[in-house]
Amino acid sequence: EPEVTQTPSHQVTQMGQEVILRCVPISNHLYFYWYRQILGQKVEFLVSFYNNEISEKSEIFDDQFSVERPDGSNFTLKIRSTKLEDSAMYFCASSKQGPNTGELFFGEGSRLTVL
Amino acid sequence: KNQVEQSPQSLIILEGKNCTLQCNYTVSPFSNLRWYKQDTGRGPVSLTIMTFSENTKSNGRYTATLDADTKQSSLHITASQLSDSASYICVVSETQTGANNLFFGTGTRLTVIP
């Protein structure tokens, strides 16, 4: 069964360093998303991407964050200068239809620890 | 304010027993309601998606109900197994398009013990 894959599964970084999290969405999906989940808290929306551009972003997704689809398969989330509060599990998701009607398929997550 | 509240926060049951998880929401206008299962340290996996006109939807031993009038949903798990131990997240979608219009609950942490 097709699945969303994410790398790395766990990354430890120093505060102020740049981090890139990678995702390979399901191949015939058109909508891509990044969510994060701070330990013990609810899943929070960061950004959605459609037709090679950001379609929506939350207040969390400030200038320190960026997304890119560098080729036909990868979808990346970059955090330019990490802060302690960026420590969280980051989930990539994709859907065939838009987010309000389409089923979202989540990856296994990338755990980011900022020291 | 659009909110999704889940109860209980956590639940421990014996293997083989049934349980029911609750989700109350204030999201309006309503589009659909989803239940996800999230194993510890893993990504959420979809169990059911219910629209306004659907009252009940089953997926194996999982049965979700929806009362759009009272804005309540429940997830019933029958004959629980150890592998059912996970967090169960209720997500409600507004009719306005956009991923920012999906509202996540904090989840119910279910532990099934032998």
CSV table of all heavy atoms in Angstrom, one decimal, chain B residues 3 7 10 18 25 28 38 53 60 65 77 79-80 86 93 102 104:
chain,number,residue,atom,x,y,z
B,3,GLN,N,-13.7,24.7,18.2
B,3,GLN,CA,-12.9,23.9,19.1
B,3,GLN,C,-13.4,22.4,19.0
B,3,GLN,O,-14.6,22.1,18.6
B,3,GLN,CB,-13.1,24.3,20.5
B,3,GLN,CG,-12.4,25.6,20.9
B,3,GLN,CD,-12.4,25.9,22.3
B,3,GLN,OE1,-13.4,25.9,23.0
B,3,GLN,NE2,-11.3,26.3,22.9
B,7,SER,N,-13.0,13.4,25.2
B,7,SER,CA,-13.0,12.8,26.5
B,7,SER,C,-13.2,11.3,26.4
B,7,SER,O,-13.8,10.8,25.5
B,7,SER,CB,-14.2,13.4,27.4
B,7,SER,OG,-15.4,13.1,26.8
B,10,SER,N,-7.7,10.1,29.0
B,10,SER,CA,-7.0,8.7,29.0
B,10,SER,C,-8.0,7.7,29.5
B,10,SER,O,-8.9,8.0,30.3
B,10,SER,CB,-5.7,8.8,29.7
B,10,SER,OG,-5.9,9.0,31.1
B,18,ASN,N,-15.1,-3.7,25.6
B,18,ASN,CA,-15.5,-2.6,24.7
B,18,ASN,C,-15.3,-1.2,25.3
B,18,ASN,O,-15.2,-1.1,26.6
B,18,ASN,CB,-17.0,-2.7,24.3
B,18,ASN,CG,-17.3,-4.0,23.7
B,18,ASN,OD1,-16.5,-4.7,23.1
B,18,ASN,ND2,-18.6,-4.4,23.8
B,25,TYR,N,-17.7,19.1,19.5
B,25,TYR,CA,-17.1,20.1,18.7
B,25,TYR,C,-18.1,21.3,18.6
B,25,TYR,O,-19.3,21.2,18.8
B,25,TYR,CB,-16.7,19.6,17.3
B,25,TYR,CG,-17.9,19.1,16.5
B,25,TYR,CD1,-18.6,20.0,15.6
B,25,TYR,CD2,-18.3,17.8,16.5
B,25,TYR,CE1,-19.6,19.6,14.8
B,25,TYR,CE2,-19.4,17.4,15.8
B,25,TYR,CZ,-20.0,18.2,14.9
B,25,TYR,OH,-21.1,17.8,14.2
B,28,SER,N,-18.1,25.3,13.0
B,28,SER,CA,-19.2,25.6,12.2
B,28,SER,C,-18.8,26.6,11.1
B,28,SER,O,-18.0,27.5,11.4
B,28,SER,CB,-20.3,26.3,13.1
B,28,SER,OG,-21.5,26.6,12.3
B,38,GLN,N,-3.4,7.1,16.5
B,38,GLN,CA,-2.0,7.5,16.4
B,38,GLN,C,-1.2,6.6,17.4
B,38,GLN,O,-1.4,6.8,18.7
B,38,GLN,CB,-1.8,8.9,16.7
B,38,GLN,CG,-0.3,9.4,16.6
B,38,GLN,CD,-0.1,10.8,16.9
B,38,GLN,OE1,-0.9,11.5,17.6
B,38,GLN,NE2,1.0,11.4,16.3
B,53,SER,N,-24.5,13.9,6.6
B,53,SER,CA,-25.6,13.0,6.4
B,53,SER,C,-25.4,11.6,7.0
B,53,SER,O,-26.3,10.8,7.0
B,53,SER,CB,-25.9,12.9,5.0
B,53,SER,OG,-24.8,12.4,4.2
B,60,GLY,N,-14.1,-2.2,10.6
B,60,GLY,CA,-13.7,-3.4,11.4
B,60,GLY,C,-14.3,-3.3,12.8
B,60,GLY,O,-15.6,-3.1,12.9
B,65,THR,N,-19.9,7.2,15.4
B,65,THR,CA,-21.3,7.8,15.3
B,65,THR,C,-21.2,9.3,15.2
B,65,THR,O,-20.2,9.9,15.8
B,65,THR,CB,-22.2,7.3,16.4
B,65,THR,OG1,-21.7,7.9,17.6
B,65,THR,CG2,-22.3,5.8,16.6
B,77,ILE,N,-15.1,1.0,20.3
B,77,ILE,CA,-14.1,-0.1,19.9
B,77,ILE,C,-14.7,-1.3,20.6
B,77,ILE,O,-14.9,-1.4,21.8
B,77,ILE,CB,-12.7,0.2,20.4
B,77,ILE,CG1,-12.2,1.6,19.9
B,77,ILE,CG2,-11.8,-0.9,20.0
B,77,ILE,CD1,-10.9,2.1,20.4
B,79,ALA,N,-14.5,-5.4,21.4
B,79,ALA,CA,-13.5,-6.5,21.7
B,79,ALA,C,-12.1,-6.1,21.6
B,79,ALA,O,-11.3,-6.5,20.7
B,79,ALA,CB,-13.8,-7.7,20.7
B,80,SER,N,-11.7,-5.2,22.4
B,80,SER,CA,-10.4,-4.5,22.3
B,80,SER,C,-9.2,-5.5,22.3
B,80,SER,O,-9.3,-6.6,22.9
B,80,SER,CB,-10.2,-3.5,23.4
B,80,SER,OG,-10.3,-4.2,24.7
B,86,ALA,N,-3.3,3.2,21.9
B,86,ALA,CA,-2.9,4.3,21.0
B,86,ALA,C,-3.6,5.6,21.4
B,86,ALA,O,-4.5,5.5,22.3
B,86,ALA,CB,-3.2,4.0,19.5
B,93,SER,N,-13.7,19.2,10.2
B,93,SER,CA,-13.4,20.1,9.1
B,93,SER,C,-14.6,21.1,9.0
B,93,SER,O,-15.7,20.8,9.0
B,93,SER,CB,-13.2,19.3,7.8
B,93,SER,OG,-13.1,20.2,6.7
B,102,LEU,N,-9.1,22.6,9.4
B,102,LEU,CA,-9.2,21.3,10.1
B,102,LEU,C,-8.8,21.5,11.5
B,102,LEU,O,-7.8,22.0,11.8
B,102,LEU,CB,-8.2,20.2,9.4
B,102,LEU,CG,-8.5,19.8,8.0
B,102,LEU,CD1,-7.4,18.8,7.6
B,102,LEU,CD2,-9.8,19.1,7.9
B,104,PHE,N,-8.1,20.0,15.2
B,104,PHE,CA,-7.7,18.7,15.8
B,104,PHE,C,-8.1,18.7,17.3
B,104,PHE,O,-7.9,19.8,18.0
B,104,PHE,CB,-6.2,18.5,15.7
B,104,PHE,CG,-5.7,18.1,14.3
B,104,PHE,CD1,-5.8,19.0,13.3
B,104,PHE,CD2,-5.3,16.8,14.1
B,104,PHE,CE1,-5.3,18.6,12.0
B,104,PHE,CE2,-4.8,16.4,12.9
B,104,PHE,CZ,-4.9,17.3,11.8
